[in-house]
Amino acid sequence: MADRTERQVQATIHAGGEWLTAVSGATREILDPADARPFAVVAEGDEKDAERAVAAARQAFDHGPWPGTPAAERAALLRRVADLLVRDREELGLLESRDAGKTVEEGRVDITCVADAFRYFADLVAAEAPGRVVDAGSPDIHSVVVHEPVGVCALITPWNYPLLQASWKIAPALAAGNTFVVKPSEITPMTTIALMELLTEAGLPAGVANLVTGPGHTVGARLAEHPDVDLVSFTGGLVSGTKVAQAAAPTVKKVALELGGKNPNVVFADACATDEGFDTAVDQALNAAFIHSGQVCSAGARLIVEESLRDRFVTELARRAQRIRLGRGTEDGVECGPLVSEQQRAKVEAYVASALAEGAVLRCGGKRPEPSDVRPESGYFYEPTVLDACHREMRVVREEVFGPVLTVETFRTEEEAVALANDTEYGLAGAVWSADASKARRVAARLRHGTVWINDFHPYLPQAEWGGFGRSGTGRELGPAGLAEYRETKHVYQNLAPKPVRWFAG
């Protein structure tokens, strides 16, 4: 794969198998959030570029070979893509670090997970039966339910996990036999561009995979409303997701939305009865809140801790949070990188200021760090922040901050813990910590969240569906349900001995 970490790239729109510049000629600089310096230039597409890409995808679906390619061959291509991802893991991990600000190690883990997703969906379709036979009660009737691709899919992905989130859409879309147009976030497009090259190298026919780099209000909006798009899958914020759903409604296309969360991490005192239990729960609370600087839709941003444990737990949590090593993700020893943009940092700062004004107690962080040799002053860094004495009326507790900010609430009873954890408009993910297995499962069963971890936080399995309740979205990714999003179901009823019905005289 060509080295994209240093050279400037402007022909970044991929349509019909060709790399193209924007119709308008516009470009955008891609900034490294660690120092705010540009490291690449990409095409800045608009509605015309979206039209061009959709036309290529439509042509490839209606007249190309991919939708009719046997499942075994589609699976083989997905496995080749996975092998190429593993081959280029180091370069792609570095590129993800420079693009999104995360550490290189996080980037490497992401690429491994991307390869796993391609392999999972390859295995899933390869192992499927050709159809589900339905007993019609007669030997003269052959009745079968089969799955067919939806058609042209518009895939709109976020900036926090650029390639991972793209793979959760692209892999099942291809496995099901669809064609697609992907629009990565305009500020983190580089690894998605690289994936297009790998798909071509793996042998995907021209026009099946298309990409438009550009902003959501032009490219994304046109994809969502386009009459030749059959499905739109969007991962991002609630406001933008609502607009996508509204734009898709007039053409009644399939819509899958993953819109973030405000995720509770419930810690019962019995989970910390031993030194090892206490250390593990604190360590996992740090991971839940501060991995990738808290820019994670499933981040455990709400610590809900039993009151008797609160002082000891929060004191140790704040002490460790202060020791997190901030810096450029490519530097050795760095544990947490910058926020993705100056706009995102300003948003986080505003949330912290409002929380303090509403009575929250700052236990650590709450400011920009001092510059250092691994932390340029121009970078978008913000200290891991713990806000104690929080309550439900605070904006920082209700709304998704998407930054390194952890709020602390307390409870006395199991009933109160469940009520606090469910007191959110979102319902994406949450966790329960307890040494009492029965209690942990009982509480988990009552939480209205799409994923609930018990004595853990953040792991996901490709085989398990990922999605949320409430305003966290309507779609499902990963697992069999993730593949089902990209399919239509058809019932084929064949009468082997047709006879006249004679309902009417004639």
Side-chain angles (χ1 to χ4, degrees), residues 180-250:
F180 69 84
V181 180
V182 61
K183 192 210 85 67
S185 167
E186 60 268 32
I187 59 177
T188 59
M190 300 306 295
T191 49
T192 309
I193 294 169
L195 179 60
M196 292 298 106
E197 295 179 335
L198 298 186
L199 291 172
T200 300
E201 184 178 349
L204 190 67
V208 175
N210 305 275
L211 175 147
V212 182
T213 47
H217 70 273
T218 55
V219 178
R222 183 55 184 148
L223 291 176
E225 69 183 8
H226 202 294
D228 282 339
V229 168
D230 301 295
L231 173 150
V232 57
S233 178
F234 171 86
T235 299
L238 177 60
V239 173
S240 296
T242 302
K243 291 179 180 177
V244 166
Q246 291 171 339

Side-chain angles (χ1 to χ4, degrees), residues 271-291:
C272 300
T274 66
D275 290 342
E276 182 181 6
F278 177 80
D279 184 68
T280 299
V282 171
D283 183 62
Q284 288 281 10
L286 290 169
N287 291 336
F290 300 128
I291 195 79

Side-chain angles (χ1 to χ4, degrees), residues 30 36 49 86 109 130 144 183 186 189 192 201 254 285 298 310-311 314 325 358 382 415 428 480 500:
I30 303 302
D49 300 285
V86 172
V109 170
V144 62
K183 192 210 85 67
E186 60 268 32
T192 309
E201 184 178 349
K254 293 185 70 173
S298 59
R310 178 250 198 89
D311 289 343
V314 176
R325 295 187 290 273
E358 292 174 314
Y382 194 78
E415 193 69 26
L428 184 63

Side-chain angles (χ1 to χ4, degrees), residues 13-357:
I13 294 171
H14 192 64
E18 297 183 49
W19 288 103
L20 306 164
T21 58
V23 172
S24 68
T27 60
R28 173 189 289 265
E29 290 184 329
I30 303 302
L31 305 182
D32 185 334
D35 57 18
R37 295 178 179 175
F39 72 97
V41 176
V42 301
E44 181 83 332
D46 58 21
E47 295 92 342
K48 292 181 179 178
D49 300 285
E51 292 282 352
R52 185 167 54 178
V54 170
R58 186 81 264 167
Q59 174 70 19
F61 185 81
D62 292 343
H63 305 289
W66 186 249
T69 300
E73 294 182 28
R74 296 200 302 269
L77 184 136
L78 265 63
R79 293 191 186 102
R80 290 197 294 274
V81 174
D83 291 342
L84 294 172
L85 286 161
V86 172
R87 182 197 69 186
D88 295 340
R89 179 173 178 261
E90 288 300 313
E91 184 180 345
L92 290 168
L94 174 61
L95 190 55
E96 199 79 325
S97 173
R98 297 198 67 186
D99 215 9
K102 61 184 64 180
T103 67
V104 171
E105 183 55 35
E106 287 181 77
R108 293 188 188 110
V109 170
D110 284 0
I111 304 309
T112 298
C113 293
V114 171
D116 288 345
F118 273 88
R119 289 199 180 101
Y120 168 74
F121 285 107
D123 293 344
L124 189 62
V125 295
E128 286 184 324
R132 178 171 61 88
V133 176
V134 178
D135 184 4
S138 169
D140 292 332
I141 302 298
H142 179 70
S143 179
V144 62
V145 175
V146 297
H147 297 297
E148 295 190 349
V150 170
V152 175
C153 303
L155 313 177
I156 304 173
T157 61
W159 48 257
N160 59 333
Y161 284 87
L163 195 58
L164 184 62
Q165 292 290 336
S167 73
W168 289 11
K169 303 178 190 298
I170 290 173
L174 290 178
N178 298 285
T179 63
F180 69 84
V181 180
V182 61
K183 192 210 85 67
S185 167
E186 60 268 32
I187 59 177
T188 59
M190 300 306 295
T191 49
T192 309
I193 294 169
L195 179 60
M196 292 298 106
E197 295 179 335
L198 298 186
L199 291 172
T200 300
E201 184 178 349
L204 190 67
V208 175
N210 305 275
L211 175 147
V212 182
T213 47
H217 70 273
T218 55
V219 178
R222 183 55 184 148
L223 291 176
E225 69 183 8
H226 202 294
D228 282 339
V229 168
D230 301 295
L231 173 150
V232 57
S233 178
F234 171 86
T235 299
L238 177 60
V239 173
S240 296
T242 302
K243 291 179 180 177
V244 166
Q246 291 171 339
T251 50
V252 201
K253 55 174 59 71
K254 293 185 70 173
V255 178
L257 302 174
E258 197 275 272
L259 305 179
K262 192 66 180 177
N263 312 293
N265 187 19
V266 179
V267 181
F268 286 90
D270 61 45
C272 300
T274 66
D275 290 342
E276 182 181 6
F278 177 80
D279 184 68
T280 299
V282 171
D283 183 62
Q284 288 281 10
L286 290 169
N287 291 336
F290 300 128
I291 195 79
H292 192 19
S293 293
Q295 299 170 120
V296 185
C297 60
S298 59
R302 294 177 65 202
L303 175 63
I304 301 175
V305 61
E306 192 164 351
E307 191 171 280
S308 62
L309 179 66
R310 178 250 198 89
D311 289 343
R312 178 186 175 212
F313 196 94
V314 176
T315 297
E316 178 62 12
L317 183 74
R319 186 188 72 81
R320 295 194 198 182
Q322 289 176 308
R323 296 165 62 92
I324 293 174
R325 295 187 290 273
L326 296 179
R328 186 189 298 274
T330 55
E331 297 286 345
D332 291 339
V334 165
E335 297 171 325
C336 199
L339 294 172
V340 75
S341 66
E342 179 57 45
Q343 179 184 15
Q344 189 63 22
R345 182 170 63 176
K347 175 185 172 184
V348 171
E349 290 175 326
Y351 272 112
V352 173
S354 72
L356 296 177

